[in-house]
């Protein structure tokens, strides 16, 4: 990217965060103190060096505004400002991504779009958008979690039709994978818009906010009616039962 493009990306992220903070001040002001101070540039560089990945410019810009969030302890009076327990700081991104990668175990039977199509048809797996459901994929950067089960990832190896660097919500326990936004900037904008809607017409917002805990982690996940429905990129794939001999 050119210097001009970098500056424009930084400005978009700053505006998006300002909208998020303004929205939180209206609907969940007690959460604002959980937004962390900016990361220093060497700490951001260390993420790239430790994980051998080039961070998108908008994520770098975001970390220079808020280096994650403080862990939201139930009953503390300081609810989470995001639909997770926390967004990670630079060191936690490295640690969590390494743990994610350590969970990868190649499986020639299940790492197959034909099997994913079958599992979606049988409602054993829910895919909302162009995402490959591979736990431990090396093409992911882990940005936050709830109870170690729900994660937000940057996905650098999307399924056909996806965007490298898209933000994905993964609930490992429930086998749901949801593409939340095509970029980190767009994720912040989407969240800001929903906070603004919650402030004026909460019944129309997809947010559910607990004043003690913060926004529910289900934000952005597929509706129950979406189970059994294949995403577009899997629509014409012949299903294969992995359990048949």
């Amino acid at each position: 990217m050119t210097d001009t493009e970098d500056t424009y990306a930084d400005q978009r992220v700053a505006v998006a965060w300002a909208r998020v903070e303004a929205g939180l001040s209206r609907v969940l002001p007690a959460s604002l103190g959980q937004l962390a101070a900016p990361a220093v540039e060497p700490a951001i560089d260390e993420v790239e060096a430790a994980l051998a990945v080039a961070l998108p410019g908008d994520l770098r810009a975001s970390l220079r505004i808020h280096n994650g969030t403080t862990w939201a302890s139930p009953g503390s009076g300081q609810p989470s400002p995001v639909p997770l327990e926390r967004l990670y700081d630079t060191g936690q991104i490295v640690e969590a991504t390494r743990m994610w990668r350590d969970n990868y175990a190649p499986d020639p039977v299940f790492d197959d779009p034909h099997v994913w199509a079958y599992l979606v048809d049988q409602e054993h797996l829910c895919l909302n958008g162009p995402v490959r459901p591979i736990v431990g994929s090396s093409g992911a950067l882990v940005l936050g979690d709830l109870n170690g089960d729900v994660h937000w990832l940057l996905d650098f190896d999307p399924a056909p039709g996806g965007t490298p660097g898209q933000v994905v919500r993964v609930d490992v326990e429930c086998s749901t994978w949801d593409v939340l936004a095509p970029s980190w900037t767009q994720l912040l904008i989407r969240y800001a818009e929903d906070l603004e809607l919650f402030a004026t017409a909460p019944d129309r917002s997809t947010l559910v906010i607990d004043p003690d805990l913060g926004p529910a982690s289900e934000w952005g996940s597929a509706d129950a009616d979406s189970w059994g429905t294949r995403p577009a990129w899997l629509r014409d794939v012949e299903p294969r039962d992995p359990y048949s001999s």
Side-chain angles (χ1 to χ4, degrees):
M1 296 178 68
T2 66
D3 290 344
T4 300
E5 289 172 330
D6 284 340
T7 300
Y8 176 67
D10 288 1
Q11 290 173 343
R12 290 192 71 209
V13 172
V15 169
W17 263 120
R19 287 180 64 186
V20 168
E21 292 169 24
L24 289 171
S25 70
R26 297 175 69 185
V27 304
L28 199 63
S31 71
L32 289 169
Q34 302 293 84
L35 295 169
V40 296
E41 203 71 29
I44 302 174
D45 292 339
E46 178 56 30
V47 176
E48 293 190 327
L51 299 175
V53 62
L55 300 182
D58 60 349
L59 180 61
R60 292 186 65 99
S62 181
L63 290 168
R64 289 195 295 266
I65 296 171
H66 293 300
N67 189 19
T69 66
T70 305
W71 182 71
S73 176
S76 67
Q78 295 179 308
S80 174
V82 295
L84 295 168
E85 280 184 337
R86 58 180 172 171
L87 288 177
Y88 297 143
D89 64 23
T90 51
Q92 292 163 343
I93 289 172
V94 172
E95 180 182 358
T97 301
R98 284 174 170 166
M99 290 178 63
W100 173 264
R101 293 176 179 177
D102 288 344
N103 284 326
Y104 181 58
D107 191 325
V109 173
F110 282 88
D111 293 348
D112 183 339
H114 299 278
V115 172
W116 300 335
Y118 173 85
L119 294 175
V120 170
D121 291 347
Q122 300 300 311
E123 300 190 12
H124 298 315
L125 173 68
C126 184
L127 300 180
N128 178 24
V131 56
R132 308 177 201 272
I134 301 176
V135 174
S137 166
S138 61
L141 190 76
V142 188
L143 299 182
D145 84 287
L146 173 72
N147 292 332
D149 294 320
V150 178
H151 298 85
W152 281 5
L153 314 175
L154 280 195
D155 176 15
F156 298 110
D157 184 27
T163 304
Q166 65 188 9
V167 186
V168 176
R169 176 190 182 276
V170 179
D171 186 332
V172 175
E173 185 175 357
C174 294
S175 298
T176 61
W177 298 68
D178 301 283
V179 178
L180 300 181
S183 69
W184 184 249
T185 301
Q186 289 299 318
L187 183 282
L188 292 174
I189 292 171
R190 179 183 178 185
Y191 186 46
E193 290 174 344
D194 227 354
L195 286 167
E196 291 160 1
L197 185 60
F198 188 90
T200 57
D203 291 343
R204 291 168 48 208
S205 172
T206 58
L207 281 166
V208 176
I209 297 180
D210 183 305
D212 296 319
L213 300 177
S217 69
E218 287 79 10
W219 180 74
S221 60
D223 296 333
D225 292 342
S226 297
W227 281 85
T229 302
R230 297 190 201 179
W233 67 281
L234 272 183
R235 194 163 294 151
D236 298 324
V237 174
E238 185 69 23
R240 180 172 64 80
D241 182 353
Y243 307 107
S244 63
S245 55

